Amino acid sequence: MKVSTRLLLACCVALVVACGEKKDAKDSADSSDVFNQTSAPTRPEHSAGSLNNSDTITLSGHKYVVNVRRYEDSSLPTVRDDTGIEFYDNRVEISIVRDGDEIFTRTFSKEDFADKASETDRKTGVMLGMAFDPEKSSPGLLSFTASIGQPNIEDGGSGFRVSINPSNASVSIKTEVLESETGYDVEEDA
């Protein structure tokens, strides 16, 4: 009987020690995870997201296909909004195809508008996007709206009118102020 009691006692001790070691190993792993999380560089958790738009328009007998693609670019400096949330900035790529031939392609970033954007938008805003405006376009000038602002705020930010001459690929940028909920009014030239 003494042997079975001792054997039972030894098994209980071994079980307690084994469970204790697992707990210590788990605590040790948790500690290293916390260390690794705080020592690793943090990355923004938020992005304004990617968008792709394509519009087709016929002007003076020529068929234009205008593609606008917004995408986050982690190589650009990140920004923090008023609440401290960090965001990736975006780039916008515009390509214009006339009668099947690509005649224009360019990538825009917030820097292209820096001299016209407000100080707040330069510091805490991202390139929200650009949109083709067929109503204000003509064969010699394709028109786009652009905006820079905080991605989590619907109103506000800096607005721009971007005009692209498809024959010589020249670009002009004008600052715009919101005239009404449906349009913009040109404020100044580039």
Side-chain angles (χ1 to χ4, degrees), residues 4-170:
S4 63
T5 305
R6 284 185 187 171
L7 186 56
L8 183 60
L9 181 60
C11 287
C12 287
V13 168
L15 185 61
V16 168
V17 169
C19 288
E21 286 177 10
K22 286 183 183 175
K23 184 176 186 239
D24 290 342
K26 183 180 181 225
D27 288 345
S28 175
D30 288 346
S31 297
S32 71
D33 286 346
V34 169
F35 176 74
N36 289 336
Q37 288 174 359
T38 57
S39 64
T42 58
R43 296 190 41 86
E45 295 181 18
H46 299 281
S47 163
S50 297
L51 293 174
N52 289 303
N53 290 314
S54 183
D55 291 291
T56 303
I57 186 172
T58 301
L59 298 168
S60 295
H62 294 285
K63 179 182 174 183
Y64 291 86
V65 178
V66 180
N67 298 299
V68 179
R69 179 174 74 102
R70 178 186 76 186
Y71 58 96
E72 79 177 33
D73 187 343
S74 60
S75 72
L76 293 172
T78 58
V79 297
R80 289 191 185 275
D81 69 4
D82 292 341
T83 63
I85 297 174
E86 191 173 18
F87 288 89
Y88 288 112
D89 205 343
N90 300 302
R91 291 192 189 270
V92 174
E93 179 185 82
I94 293 180
S95 68
I96 301 169
V97 176
R98 180 179 58 207
D99 299 329
D101 295 321
E102 185 172 81
I103 59 169
F104 179 87
T105 186
R106 179 171 166 180
T107 302
F108 293 86
S109 71
K110 183 171 67 174
E111 289 303 311
D112 292 301
F113 304 89
D115 62 332
K116 294 174 180 36
S118 71
E119 183 178 347
T120 300
D121 288 333
R122 286 192 307 271
K123 289 181 180 179
T124 63
V126 297
M127 181 76 188
L128 293 174
M130 295 176 72
F132 179 57
D133 187 349
E135 292 179 10
K136 293 201 176 185
S137 294
S138 65
L141 213 55
L142 300 180
S143 186
F144 299 80
T145 58
S147 60
I148 295 172
Q150 291 186 16
N152 55 353
I153 298 176
E154 289 186 30
D155 292 332
S158 300
F160 307 94
R161 171 75 50 195
V162 178
S163 300
I164 299 171
N165 183 328
S167 62
N168 65 11
S170 65

